[in-house]
Amino acid sequence: MPWSSRIDRIAPFRVMSLLETAQAREAAGHDVIHLEVGEPDFPTPEPVVAAGREALAAGHTRYTPAAGLPALREAIAGHYATHFGAAVDPRRILVTPGASGALLLASQLLAGPGDRVLMADPNYPCNRHFMALAGAEVDAVPVGPASGWQLDAALVAANWQEATRLAMLATPSNPTGHMLDAGQLAAVAETVKARGGHLLVDEIYQGLCYDLAPLSVAAITPDAFVVNSFSKYFGMTGWRLGWLLAPEAAVEPLTRLAQNVFLAASTPAQHAALAAFTPECRELLEARRVELGRRRDALLAGLARLGLAPSLPPQGAFYLWLDISRYSDDSQAFCRRLLEEENVAITPGIDFALQGGEHHVRIAFTTGIARLEEAVSRLERFLARQ
């Protein structure tokens, strides 16, 4: 029998295949430089690991409420108040199995058959796919340097249709690393509200900012849905923990969804995450953010020497979005050859962009400066042969 037709709307995430190939080359003895996956080489902060051990030793392995451990929801609310000046009721926060769990809840609540969803192109592909699984149609709006690689208020207004129900932003964004400032966020929020729609903001890379102060749409409007994660800034990728901040009226239906879809997020992970908000952990995380900024600058300097640096440097996250059109119109083949010939793993742009992805690649500055400089040297050799 055939599979459900919804699976036909889900494209493969090609970077995972590339990662598998890179790991196989590594296992065969090649010196592979990994710049393909969004996971820095820092371990989970020790205070978090210690709290996880303590939680297991204390027997904290039973279900929490579907919306999450009350103490963790309160800690997240305190994080918004302390660092973003946003007064958030902890009851508006639902702790989820990774940011993916939050995206699943939001997409199922906000989008359905016949609805249209606006988001930027390029974008994280799973954002499109969650909406497709909900039965909605995604209008991927091409963005570029003119709008700071973001879906701004003018683009939202120009592309809003009668059936548009939702606009989704990502700031800082994956794959470009660009941000919307407070004024731009407020303008988008007003534009969406005036059209009777919903606003969903991906803030997964919030905190990993280099040129602008980190901010949250939660400080601008209580009406936005906000997805966040413990994976990126907090360094807890494998713990699979995130959260969804929702308007008060949405909490009850979202809780019903959570009860049925995943019951609750991992209990030991939730207890461990409480330590992420301690001053000791914050100091370590800020030192890592500064180091990522150094890595960004070193990589930009190396790429500038090759004439490849982006015209707008990324303001956050840990990615560069590079135009390779001088060398290739097939980003997947470009990345495959770079891996095979020089053992440098980067991500093809077709994973992220429906338009122009074949002319772009994403590089993650998730390894040390010496390795980044070696990667640039290998890239230079590779480009000289093109």
Side-chain angles (χ1 to χ4, degrees):
M1 291 186 62
W3 310 125
S4 164
S5 60
R6 69 171 60 89
I7 199 65
D8 296 332
R9 304 181 67 187
I10 308 302
F13 200 6
R14 296 169 184 86
V15 67
M16 301 313 294
S17 175
L18 189 139
L19 173 62
E20 184 178 351
T21 303
Q23 290 172 334
R25 290 187 65 81
E26 207 166 31
H30 296 279
D31 176 29
V32 176
I33 301 177
H34 290 279
L35 308 177
E36 74 277 44
V37 178
E39 185 173 39
D41 55 351
F42 309 129
T44 296
E46 180 53 35
V48 174
V49 175
R53 292 195 193 101
E54 292 170 6
L56 290 170
H60 294 310
T61 57
R62 304 179 74 84
Y63 293 133
T64 69
L69 193 69
L72 182 56
R73 298 165 76 190
E74 291 170 5
I76 294 169
H79 176 69
Y80 279 106
T82 300
H83 299 290
F84 308 111
V88 172
D89 188 331
R91 292 176 297 180
R92 292 174 52 207
I93 296 166
L94 291 90
V95 180
T96 58
S100 297
L103 282 165
L104 176 62
L105 295 183
S107 63
Q108 294 301 307
L109 181 72
L110 298 175
D115 294 330
R116 307 195 74 87
V117 178
L118 286 179
M119 60 180 67
D121 184 30
N123 207 320
Y124 180 57
C126 297
N127 291 343
R128 296 194 301 268
H129 296 159
F130 273 112
M131 298 303 165
L133 284 173
E137 296 295 329
V138 173
D139 293 314
V141 180
V143 297
S147 66
W149 291 100
Q150 283 285 352
L151 184 65
D152 61 16
L155 288 171
V156 170
N159 289 278
W160 197 275
Q161 301 181 43
E162 184 178 352
T164 305
R165 180 175 176 83
L166 174 68
M168 183 174 183
L169 310 177
T171 178
S173 68
N174 176 10
T176 73
H178 289 87
M179 298 173 60
L180 291 163
D181 63 28
Q184 292 169 321
L185 272 175
V188 173
E190 284 298 318
T191 301
V192 171
K193 184 176 181 180
R195 287 156 178 77
H198 295 291
L199 177 62
L200 173 62
V201 184
D202 168 353
E203 295 184 350
I204 292 170
Y205 295 91
Q206 182 193 53
L208 292 175
C209 305
Y210 312 111
D211 299 326
L212 300 174
L215 62 115
S216 174
V217 71
I220 295 169
T221 173
D223 298 327
F225 292 78
V226 185
V227 171
N228 211 321
S229 174
F230 285 95
S231 290
K232 307 303 182 180
Y233 177 74
F234 295 102
M236 295 178 64
T237 50
W239 298 77
R240 308 311 305 133
L241 201 65
W243 72 84
L244 177 64
L245 172 61
E248 186 174 349
V251 171
E252 189 277 328
L254 286 170
T255 302
R256 268 189 283 138
L257 278 170
Q259 290 166 346
N260 284 275
V261 173
F262 50 71
L263 294 182
S266 162
T267 299
Q270 291 189 64
H271 282 274
L274 287 168
F277 300 107
T278 61
E280 176 189 8
C281 197
R282 177 77 181 187
E283 182 178 357
L284 174 60
L285 295 173
E286 279 298 291
R288 292 179 174 185
R289 181 188 63 81
V290 170
E291 170 60 19
L292 285 169
R294 293 192 191 102
R295 294 178 180 185
R296 179 199 66 160
D297 294 344
L299 183 56
L300 284 171
L303 292 170
R305 181 168 54 83
L306 305 185
L308 271 180
S311 58
L312 293 178
Q315 302 147 314
F318 35 65
Y319 307 113
L320 295 182
W321 183 243
L322 296 187
D323 184 343
I324 58 164
S325 56
R326 286 173 18 211
Y327 300 99
S328 177
D329 59 2
D330 185 343
S331 60
Q332 189 167 10
F334 181 94
C335 292
R336 184 180 63 251
R337 293 198 311 270
L338 180 61
L339 178 60
E340 292 172 351
E341 297 177 24
E342 294 291 348
N343 292 303
V344 176
I346 61 176
T347 307
I350 55 173
D351 257 352
F352 304 95
L354 299 177
Q355 297 188 42
E358 68 276 9
H359 297 134
H360 288 82
V361 296
R362 189 193 74 175
I363 299 181
F365 45 94
T366 49
T367 191
I369 289 176
R371 295 290 278 171
L372 291 173
E373 291 174 342
E374 171 63 19
V376 170
S377 296
R378 296 183 189 185
L379 178 61
E380 184 175 22
R381 286 200 305 262
F382 176 76
L383 294 177
R385 298 193 296 271
Q386 304 309 303

